[in-house]
Amino acid sequence: VHLEDGRVALLVDQQLIVLGGLGPSLWLLLDEPRTAEELLAALTAEGDAPADARALLDEAVRALRAEGVLKIQ
């Protein structure tokens, strides 16, 4: 669910997870398998990527994996 303030709310295993920052853009880009480099390029192309985007991307992926939202194959 897209919230009015730009965040995205997800229900995962009966747990509500709210994504902010790069999270909503990242979530939308994960509609198909992509490498970290592809994600970074797409975020940069959208203009949503700050200078430390790679570190933020790595952190976001770790957090999504820890919450069970993202599984890497």
Side-chain angles (χ1 to χ4, degrees):
V1 176
H2 292 271
L3 304 175
E4 291 180 15
D5 62 2
R7 296 180 301 161
V8 171
L10 308 170
L11 187 60
V12 178
D13 296 329
Q14 299 183 347
Q15 179 181 356
L16 181 64
I17 298 173
V18 179
L19 304 177
L22 287 179
S25 295
L26 178 58
W27 180 251
L28 293 174
L29 288 170
L30 292 171
D31 62 338
E32 62 184 62
R34 298 180 196 260
T35 65
E37 289 75 23
E38 290 170 333
L39 290 170
L40 186 58
L43 289 169
T44 302
E46 290 180 7
D48 291 341
D52 60 346
R54 181 56 194 240
L56 293 173
L57 175 61
D58 292 343
E59 181 181 327
V61 167
R62 276 193 299 276
L64 290 174
R65 288 183 71 196
E67 292 293 334
V69 175
L70 176 63
K71 294 180 180 152
I72 296 179
Q73 298 178 342

